[in-house]
Every structure is written in C-alpha cells, then in structure tokens.
Amino acid sequence: MSARAIVLAAGKGTRMKSARAKVLHELCGRPMLWWVLEALRAAGVDDIVVVTNPELDPQLAPFGVRTVIQREQLGTGHAVKIALDAIVPDDGCLVVAYGDMPLVDPAIFEDVQAAVDPGAGTALALVTAVMPLPSAFGRIVRTGPSTGSAAADTASGQAVERIVEAKDCTPAQLALDEMNAGIYAYDERALRAAIAQVGNDNAQGEYYLTDTVELLIAAGRRVAPVPVADYRSVLGVNDRVELASAGALLNRRLCETHMRAGVTITDPATTYLEPGLLLATDVTIRPNTVICGATRIGEGTSIGPNSRISDATIGARCDIRESVVTASEVANDVKIGPFAHLRGGSQLADGVRIGNFVELKNAHLAEGVKANHLTYLGDATVGARSNIGAGTITANFDGVRKNRTELGSDVKVGSNSVLVAPVSVGDGAVTGAGAVVNRDVPAGDKVAGVPARSIAKKPAET
Ligand code: UD1
Ligand code: MG
C-alpha cells in the first residue's frame, strides 16, 4: 500500500513580504514546495494532499497533487483537521510535513515512517533537531534532564513530553536546544482522535498541530523522537534571508552530486545549477556560471567563466566562454565566445567557431562554419566551411515578417556585408566588403557594392 501525506502550505508567509505565496518562491529554479514534494515521492509517498489557500490553490495545478483549501489560517492543527476531513479515513501511517522546508531529504521521511507503529504503542514519530540558539522553532520538552544530545536522550529513554512553541516558552524552555523539525508520521486513527481535542489557548490564538503530542501521551500512546543528524536539512524558510541560505545549501548539494560524478566545478559558490541537468564526465564549469533548464552537456566540454546556459544541448569537447546560450543545440568541438549570444533555435554542427560579439537566432550553421566577430545571424542557414566576415548582418525583418537567409557551403562573406532576406548565396560565392546583398547570388559568383552586383570576370566574347 502506498503511503499518504498531508503537506501544509496555506500560511500567508507574511515574513516574506511578497505578493507571491511563500511556497512558490524559488530555490535553484524550483518552487519551495516542489522540493518537499520531490523528497516525499522519493521516499515512496505518492498520495499527497496539500493544504492551500484560495489565492494559492489555482497555482498548484502543475504540481500534480490533490489540494484542500483552508479559507482562514487558524493554525497548523486546523489545517491538518481540514485535510483529514477531506480524505477517506485509513488505519495506516500518515505523514505530515510543512511546505516551507525545502532542504528536507528522502531519508528523513523514510526514517520517520519506520519509527511509527500504527495500531500498537507508538502513535507518533516526530523528527527533532539540535540547533544553535536563539531559534524560533518549537522546543521539544522531555521528561528528564537532557544529556545535551538528542540521540543519547532517546537512547536513555528520556521520553518526549510535549512541544512548546517558541512564543509560549518560559525562559528555561527557550534555553532548550532540541527543536521540533515539523515532520511527523502519525497513526492516522490516533491523529483523528487527538486533532478533535486541540484548542487555541496559546500566545498566538492558533490551533497548534504540536499539541497532539501531549494529547496522544495523555491517551496512553507513545511518541517517538527521530533525531536528525544535521539540523540544516530541516531548516524552515520564513523570510528572504532564510530563502537565500537554503538556496545556497541546495545549490551546494547539486554541485557536490555532479562533482562526485566526475564534473570539475572550479568554484561551487559562484556556480548555479538546477535539478535535472545531465552533465557528462570531465565537464568543467568555471566560476560565475549558471546552467539551468533542460540542459545536457557532453564529455570534456568546458563552460564559463561568466556564462549562462539554459535549455541547451551541448556536445563533447566544446569550449564556451563568457557567453549566453539559450534553447539551442551545439554539436562537438565547437568554440563559442567570449561574449557570444545564442538565442533560441540555433543549431551548430561539429567544429563551428562563434567569436566575440556574435548573436545567433534560429541560425543553422553546418560543419566548420566560422563567424568570429561582430555579427548577427538571424533566421539563417549557413553551409559547411563558410566564413562570415566581421560586421556581417542578416537583415531578417522587413517590417512585417521574418525572412530567411540561405548561404551555401564554402561561401566567403566579406566584412560589413548586409544580407537582406529573403536571399540566398550559392556554394563558393564571395561577397565584397560592405556589400548590401538584396538579390540571390549564384554559386561561384562574386558580388560587391550597394546594392551588390556581380564583379566576376565574364568569359571573353568570341
Ligand atoms: C512550525 C511548528 C514548530 C516547528 C516549525 C518548524 C506548529 C504550531 N509549529 O512553526 O513547532 O518548530 O514549524 O519549521 O506547528 N500553515 C497552514 N495553515 C495554517 C498555519 C500554517 O497551512 O493555518 C502552514 C504554513 O504555510 C507552513 C507550515 O504550515 O508551511 C508551518 O507554519 P509556520 O507558520 O511556518 O509555522 P512555524 O511558526 O514555522
Ligand atoms: Mg515555518
């Protein structure tokens, strides 16, 4: 049977000071909530209900989860109650987590599920973490004096007694450093009984989910703490400072995964990655580089410094420096940059060379084409080995529509040529410096001037 979970995401996230819902703020290119759902799914939990609010709800369609709307945010206990009312009762284990903890990893969800025992003694397993003080997390209050180590306390049977929210703590409780991470595995039947009794007599006037701890214990059930090794994996994000530090940790994790798989990253602190990238072995990423979207990069290719590659497929042994590549395909042994911009729809075959201040859009360049300096190739097809001189422009827009420029193979385009599309230049043709080519040039012809005319020697008349 597949495990079930409730994820709470209805809170206003007021500390973000944003028009955007907190759980939709992004870390490494993915919304905060995406990270939590990914970790749950990786831990085998695939039946997920997200508690949302009326503004957020329509924006959750892409997440592929069932949602339940909490109209008034009366607290985490109230949110769970609303979700429980909406799902068919079950007597198994139910995971509850918050949507604002993007650093959580699948092992934590696996451990907490393994520690609960529906129908038997342990009605709740909850993740705890020892954290530096001060902290706004809820405090874990145990029955006896703490040894200072959550793991040792658990081993020596110091039972969890209750959770006290930071705002309700006495000074002595505020000094406790074992925190409620906000990840729970409940015996669902016991949770349903306890949640009905949760009140709101506390500093925030909210229905706290955390009050179920005391209620379950009073009902004679056990509550098992599941201490986490590194508190950073359960850090909640409540404002933009925490958003940035969580983002940096996630980015570091992505970098480390790729480095362990054989990618050299010169400076992980200034390399920005997203999940789902396919980077082959011996890829090198130099500093200050962003690689995002559905990008794949082949063996031995170097990217950066100061580059952004998004939704691109790059082959093997390429070198891309100080450049931007978007939604394009680059084959093997291609050199790009510095300061080139490949916009959408460009395709570069093996051995192409794109140099300084060259912009491509929807340009298909065959094997060995060179465009080394100051050029715009838009909606163009260029045949093998052709050379595009400095300052060449394809004038692809006639004020109404975009038109294509077709160049054959072994064409030499002189510096400062303007190719006024739609126009074609045949194989082996040459344009002189400064030519404005507004009529098709036959294969092998030489043209020059404004507008360009043939200057090829005609065969002598007989
Ligand atoms: C909560 C815990 C605290 C724990 C901390 C860990 C409670 C009462 N407190 O505090 O013990 O240490 O998380 O990060 O549970 N939400 C709703 N509906 C509501 C209220 C909140 O869906 O009515 C959602 C929020 O969107 C958020 C999550 O529940 O994703 C947690 O709420 P938040 O206000 O961030 O709780 P904390 O104060 O962080
Ligand atoms: Mg929180």
Side-chain angles (χ1 to χ4, degrees):
M1 196 190 67
S2 65
R4 309 206 292 176
I6 295 172
V7 175
L8 306 190
K12 291 281 180 241
T14 43
R15 285 168 280 178
M16 296 298 285
K17 303 210 166 87
S18 175
R20 199 194 305 187
K22 176 167 84 172
V23 294
L24 296 183
H25 278 263
E26 292 190 352
L27 308 96
C28 301
R30 298 288 187 284
M32 200 182 297
L33 180 62
W34 180 91
W35 291 95
V36 179
L37 299 179
E38 272 296 295
L40 272 170
R41 286 177 177 137
V45 182
D46 40 25
D47 187 353
I48 304 172
V49 175
V50 176
V51 180
T52 168
N53 61 49
E55 300 88 78
L56 175 62
D57 192 64
Q59 301 174 68
L60 295 186
F63 291 86
V65 285
R66 179 167 168 205
T67 59
V68 173
I69 294 176
Q70 183 191 25
R71 293 198 184 274
E72 268 185 297
Q73 281 69 58
L74 302 179
T76 50
H78 178 253
V80 165
K81 185 171 185 319
I82 281 181
L84 286 172
D85 290 346
I87 61 176
V88 179
D90 185 280
D91 55 9
C93 155
L94 178 69
V95 174
V96 178
Y98 301 153
D100 65 353
M101 41 176 65
L103 294 158
V104 64
D105 63 61
I108 295 176
F109 286 125
E110 282 162 13
D111 292 349
V112 77
Q113 288 181 82
V116 73
D117 197 1
T122 305
L124 165 62
L126 59 92
V127 176
T128 76
V130 174
M131 282 186 197
L133 296 174
S135 163
F137 274 61
R139 301 304 199 265
I140 302 288
V141 178
R142 290 183 181 251
T143 46
S146 172
T147 60
S149 147
D153 287 351
T154 305
S156 67
Q158 300 287 4
V160 170
E161 203 173 61
R162 59 202 161 103
I163 296 172
V164 184
E165 290 308 299
K167 286 187 175 141
D168 299 296
C169 276
T170 62
Q173 288 167 336
L174 269 185
L176 297 171
D177 64 356
E178 188 185 6
M179 309 299 169
N180 170 35
I183 297 167
Y184 320 83
Y186 281 96
D187 169 341
E188 186 183 316
R189 270 203 297 196
L191 171 62
R192 284 182 185 273
I195 206 81
Q197 303 169 52
V198 169
N200 65 352
D201 181 17
N202 52 54
Q204 303 185 79
E206 286 185 6
Y207 295 88
Y208 292 159
L209 176 63
T210 43
D211 284 354
T212 57
V213 172
E214 238 179 317
L215 289 164
L216 288 168
I217 290 168
R221 304 295 300 272
R222 260 173 49 81
V223 173
V226 179
V228 77
D230 183 354
Y231 76 91
R232 289 176 304 178
S233 53
V234 295
L235 282 181
V237 171
N238 296 301
D239 62 26
R240 298 196 204 219
V241 175
E242 290 168 352
L243 182 72
S245 28
L249 282 168
L250 283 172
N251 188 57
R252 179 79 202 192
R253 268 193 214 164
L254 291 172
C255 287
E256 285 178 4
T257 303
H258 287 291
M259 290 190 280
R260 291 205 174 89
V263 172
T264 294
I265 298 183
T266 320
D267 183 17
T270 64
T271 298
Y272 303 92
L273 305 182
E274 285 188 5
L277 302 173
L278 296 173
L279 309 180
T281 49
D282 290 319
V283 163
T284 296
I285 307 174
R286 305 191 192 98
N288 214 25
T289 291
V290 177
I291 304 181
C292 56
T295 291
R296 56 166 73 208
I297 300 180
E299 217 171 302
T301 285
S302 300
I303 312 278
N306 309 319
S307 296
R308 177 159 58 83
I309 314 292
S310 53
D311 297 310
T313 300
I314 315 278
R317 300 173 304 279
C318 295
D319 190 5
I320 303 182
R321 292 175 182 268
E322 333 256 0
S323 291
V324 174
V325 177
T326 305
S328 291
E329 285 173 35
V330 173
N332 303 319
D333 304 295
V334 172
K335 287 193 166 26
I336 297 174
F339 315 118
H341 184 189
L342 272 63
R343 290 163 56 197
S346 293
Q347 292 174 11
L348 277 50
D350 288 353
V352 165
R353 173 78 182 96
I354 299 299
N356 315 253
F357 306 106
V358 173
E359 176 184 353
L360 305 184
K361 193 233 20 180
N362 242 327
H364 301 175
L365 311 190
E367 235 174 278
V369 167
K370 289 187 181 134
N372 274 329
H373 327 271
L374 300 161
T375 286
Y376 173 59
L377 297 176
D379 304 304
T381 303
V382 182
R385 298 170 304 280
S386 290
N387 187 75
I388 312 295
T392 296
I393 300 294
T394 53
N396 57 332
F397 187 50
D398 60 12
V400 180
R401 60 176 67 87
K402 299 283 170 63
N403 300 298
R404 282 200 82 80
T405 300
E406 313 266 352
L407 303 190
S409 31
D410 302 296
V411 170
K412 290 191 171 55
V413 179
S415 292
N416 252 2
S417 290
V418 179
L419 303 163
V420 184
V423 74
S424 71
V425 179
D427 293 347
V430 177
T431 74
V436 173
V437 182
N438 59 1
R439 271 192 244 147
D440 292 351
V441 178
D445 202 0
K446 274 188 190 167
V447 299
V450 180
R453 293 198 171 84
S454 179
I455 54 165
K457 280 217 177 83
K458 303 271 177 321
E461 278 178 40
T462 48

